[in-house]
Amino acid sequence: MTPLDALYGWLAILALLTVVWIASVRLRDASIVDWFWGPAFLVAAVTYVIRAGTPSARSEVLIVIVAVWALRLAVHIYIRNRGHGEDPRYQVFRAQAGDSFWWVSFFRVFLLQSILAGIISAPLLAAAFADAPLGPLDWLGVAVWIVGFTFEALADLQLRRFRADPATRGTVLRTGLWAWTRHPNYFGEAVLWWGYFLIALGSGGWWTIFAPLLMTFLLVRVSGVALLEKTVVARRPGYAEYIRDVPAFIPRPPGRTGGAVRSAPPTTRTRDPRTGD
């Protein structure tokens, strides 16, 4: 494994997102980049495995779990965004850039995401090039990945069903995993990346710890929890109480606040704070 192998992985990601950028210009919808966040890592993982030569048992496991996560996430985001037009975040960028948005978006959105994906894919790189046999840390990593994947997929399913129910419009989702944490999908995403790291660690990839740390930081402080909750209290009745009762990220059994047992919350449920719907 050399820096050139990492470069090839990033170039593969960049090639994919460049094609997506061209499509976004024609469609006038930069938010289609979100569909390809997961597949970008799958492209990188496949590139790393090809560069490593003969596939190992570890690389086969790696490709399977990355593919399952990436394709599920892509389908989920496509279904969630279908028919809603361009995401408001990109509409703001478009208004700020004006007629130059078509090329500015490449640097502000697509190139930036390719760089982040290339950096965060480090555990996949380390695992793909490992030649040691599968060991306890690998299987622990797979187990952690399963926990994270299940948490994320189940949270997304609960949210999709909630949003499809007209009776819940204007309320806050407070059942299922959403009673344990205000962002169970983000928590699951962070956990599965720690699973990837453990698989890399099992073959000596300790140095890739910056990847799950960065992903967790982004989910909590940058593009995830902090960004989405910046204005939601003012827009969503009952969300202040939801913040008081339910932790933002790390799950906690419902009905407890700071160790004190609370009565069960009202049966009203809340809309996804990520979309404001």
Side-chain angles (χ1 to χ4, degrees):
M1 180 176 59
T2 68
L4 186 60
D5 298 308
L7 177 61
Y8 272 100
W10 174 69
L11 289 175
I13 295 172
L14 180 61
L16 170 65
L17 293 189
T18 298
V19 172
V20 177
W21 168 67
I22 294 171
S24 77
V25 172
R26 294 182 61 87
L27 296 172
R28 293 187 59 81
D29 185 356
S31 57
I32 65 172
V33 68
D34 295 340
W35 308 350
F36 292 89
W37 174 249
F41 290 99
L42 178 57
V43 166
V46 170
T47 302
Y48 297 146
V49 170
I50 292 174
R51 292 282 301 173
T54 304
S56 64
R58 179 177 289 100
S59 63
E60 291 172 354
V61 169
L62 182 72
I63 291 297
V64 169
I65 63 176
V66 172
V68 169
W69 163 72
L71 297 178
R72 188 215 69 88
L73 184 62
V75 171
H76 166 70
I77 294 175
Y78 170 75
I79 293 174
R80 186 190 68 188
N81 294 353
R82 181 178 53 189
H84 292 288
E86 189 171 51
D87 187 284
R89 294 171 298 163
Y90 303 109
Q91 291 180 18
V92 172
F93 291 166
R94 187 179 296 277
Q96 291 173 343
D99 292 340
S100 62
F101 179 79
W102 72 272
W103 63 266
V104 170
S105 65
F106 176 77
F107 297 97
R108 291 190 62 179
V109 178
F110 295 84
L111 179 61
L112 176 60
Q113 288 207 19
S114 76
I115 293 172
L116 283 174
I119 294 171
I120 294 170
S121 71
L124 311 183
L125 171 66
F129 277 84
D131 53 9
L134 289 169
L137 277 176
D138 295 289
W139 296 119
L140 176 61
V142 171
V144 169
W145 180 90
I146 290 173
V147 171
F149 177 81
T150 302
F151 221 92
E152 181 180 41
L154 183 56
D156 284 338
L157 177 61
Q158 291 172 349
L159 180 61
R160 185 164 66 248
R161 289 176 174 175
F162 174 79
R163 295 180 63 192
D165 183 358
T168 64
R169 182 169 298 277
T171 62
V172 180
L173 175 56
R174 299 188 60 152
T175 58
L177 294 177
W178 300 83
W180 288 69
T181 164
R182 300 198 301 274
H183 299 277
N185 46 357
Y186 291 153
F187 174 76
E189 177 81 0
V191 168
L192 69 83
W193 274 98
W194 284 100
Y196 290 135
F197 167 69
L198 287 172
I199 296 173
L201 182 62
S203 55
W206 57 268
W207 55 273
T208 66
I209 192 171
F210 65 84
L213 286 173
L214 176 58
M215 177 62 84
T216 304
F217 175 78
L218 290 173
L219 290 170
V220 176
R221 297 295 184 184
V222 181
S223 62
V225 175
L227 177 65
L228 295 174
E229 295 202 339
K230 188 175 297 184
T231 61
V232 71
V233 174
R235 294 183 290 105
R236 184 69 54 205
Y239 204 82
E241 290 78 10
Y242 187 46
I243 290 176
R244 182 192 64 202
D245 296 340
V246 180
F249 194 70
I250 303 298
R252 184 179 64 213
R256 293 181 177 272
T257 302
V261 177
R262 295 184 55 87
S263 59
T267 55
T268 54
R269 300 176 288 175
T270 48
R271 278 268 174 202
D272 180 14
R274 295 173 298 174
T275 63
D277 292 339

